[in-house]
Amino acid sequence: MGLPEPVNQSKRGLTAGLPRQEEEPAAARTVNPWEAAGAELVARQRFGAAPEETDRQMATPAAPWVPQDESSGVVFARRLGRGLLWAVVALAAVTGVRAWVVPPKAPDTATAPAQAAPAYPNAEAQAAAARFARAYLGWDESRKEERAALLASALPAGADSTMGWDGKGRQEVLAVQPGAVTPAEAGRALVRVDVLIRSGGPAEPAPAPSAGSGGSTPRADSGARWVGLDVPVFQAGGRFSVTGRPALVGVPATGPQLPDTPAAQTDTELTGQTKSTIEKFFAAYAGGDTESVSAPGARLPALPQGIEFKGLLSWSVDAAGSGDRWGSARVGWALGGTTVEVAYRVKLTRVSSSDAQRWQVADIRGGAL
């Protein structure tokens, strides 16, 4: 507005040379500072105030308020709050845009763990196949009904109980050994059974007899042998039955080839020292008294009666080991009118007494691994 800042008229220099006027009450002078400033300007124009004093007062006007500086803490708090507000706005914007571009994934529904199918009852399938194999491979032309009844118990109702047999000949089943079970669909499976048989045909007519010769000659037995049988079985209602005719399969003539194993080193000195101990033990092993020749605390049941010790064929103590020692023995036994050789692994332990130390048998196991 071009007016000078209001000041107190009682100050010196601003009213110099002006005619004295009657002092107005203080309340009247300070009612409106802007009116006082206007009156002062009019007085200056009318009476001519000093230029230098006028410029000085105009250069440093007095404001009707007192400016105050803000503290650094207030400024920092205001700026921090403003930054946090903008960060929240930016995060909301980014999240919203991402949700528009990439829709949120649907929550994975918890799938119940698949229940494992119950294991196929191999033992029951093997038992059913073994019963069938014994009846199927055993026949006698003089007892046809017996074989038919045995087969009927393993076949479905109404099945052919002859199973393709022509009703002739004779064959004996000596042993049955069920093997692998191969499950199929719908409760079916194929069971491998090894059967030990011995065949012997009936007496057959001999060629035209000469004078004084007999009328017939019996056929010799073909001897015992193993034969394989694949038996198809079916499970229903907790029971097994044979679904059809089995198949004859071959049995390997030999077992699998063994891997080469390094020969064990022999402790020659200890072998010689303990040979008589081992001979006494095996003699007592067949005689029924092992307690007197075995280590204290060892429980080694003796062999049954009818087995005779023929001799210690070989004995060696392993070089490796400390404390108790293991050795290999080969022994001859008289059994069933003949002599057989068997192999043992024998564990020796050192027993101390008041006057000496000696080795005694603590354990015995069959064969070498």
Side-chain angles (χ1 to χ4, degrees):
M1 294 176 60
L3 299 177
E5 294 292 336
V7 297
N8 193 345
Q9 294 182 4
S10 62
K11 293 181 180 181
R12 292 182 177 181
L14 294 180
T15 57
L18 296 178
R20 295 181 59 87
Q21 299 178 359
E22 295 181 0
E23 293 182 1
E24 298 178 359
R29 292 198 309 269
T30 60
V31 170
N32 193 335
W34 298 104
E35 292 180 358
E40 181 182 352
L41 179 61
V42 173
R44 289 178 183 177
Q45 293 176 355
R46 179 179 303 175
F47 298 103
E52 294 83 4
E53 187 69 15
T54 302
D55 293 339
R56 185 178 62 83
Q57 293 295 332
M58 292 297 292
T60 58
W65 58 85
V66 178
Q68 295 182 355
D69 294 336
E70 291 184 337
S71 63
S72 60
V74 175
V75 174
F76 175 79
R78 184 171 65 250
R79 291 178 180 177
L80 179 61
R82 188 179 302 167
L84 292 176
L85 178 61
W86 278 109
V88 171
V89 173
L91 180 61
V94 171
T95 305
V97 172
R98 182 179 181 276
W100 298 338
V101 177
V102 182
K105 295 182 179 180
D108 296 336
T109 57
T111 57
Q115 296 182 353
Y120 195 83
N122 291 347
E124 292 82 352
Q126 289 174 329
R131 290 195 307 270
F132 172 82
R134 179 176 290 277
Y136 178 78
L137 291 179
W139 54 71
D140 190 338
E141 61 184 9
S142 63
R143 294 184 296 181
K144 299 178 183 179
E145 294 78 9
E146 179 180 312
R147 179 178 183 271
L150 293 175
L151 286 175
S153 64
L155 295 172
D160 180 16
S161 59
T162 64
M163 296 298 289
W165 180 46
D166 63 0
K168 299 178 182 179
R170 181 174 61 88
Q171 182 167 272
E172 181 183 5
V173 175
L174 304 178
V176 176
Q177 180 61 52
V181 178
T182 306
E185 68 281 354
R188 299 175 181 269
L190 192 65
V191 183
R192 172 65 179 269
V193 182
D194 292 337
V195 185
L196 182 63
I197 60 174
R198 181 166 55 203
S199 301
E204 62 181 6
S210 58
S213 63
S216 63
T217 302
R219 180 180 300 171
D221 292 344
S222 60
R225 62 192 183 278
W226 286 100
V227 63
L229 202 66
D230 281 345
V231 182
V233 297
F234 171 73
Q235 180 190 22
R239 298 182 57 189
F240 277 89
S241 63
V242 177
T243 60
R245 297 183 182 182
L248 289 171
V249 294
V251 176
T254 61
Q257 185 68 30
L258 295 177
D260 295 334
T261 56
Q265 300 295 323
T266 301
D267 188 336
T268 306
E269 181 179 357
L270 187 57
T271 298
Q273 294 175 1
T274 57
K275 183 176 181 180
S276 60
T277 301
I278 299 301
E279 288 179 336
K280 292 179 181 179
F281 170 81
F282 279 111
Y285 195 45
D289 181 17
T290 60
E291 185 175 355
S292 60
V293 292
S294 58
R299 298 292 182 265
L300 305 175
L303 294 176
Q305 294 182 355
I307 301 178
E308 180 184 355
F309 177 60
K310 300 299 291 184
L312 181 64
L313 304 179
S314 66
W315 167 246
S316 63
V317 180
D318 298 346
S322 60
D324 295 344
R325 306 291 291 273
W326 282 91
S328 298
R330 193 158 53 92
V331 180
W333 299 112
L335 176 65
T338 187
T339 301
V340 294
E341 297 180 4
V342 296
Y344 293 97
R345 290 286 289 171
V346 182
K347 180 180 180 182
L348 295 174
T349 187
R350 190 190 298 271
V351 178
S352 300
S353 60
S354 58
D355 55 350
Q357 292 184 348
R358 63 186 183 275
W359 291 93
Q360 288 187 323
V361 176
D363 193 9
I364 182 172
R365 301 176 184 178
L369 298 179

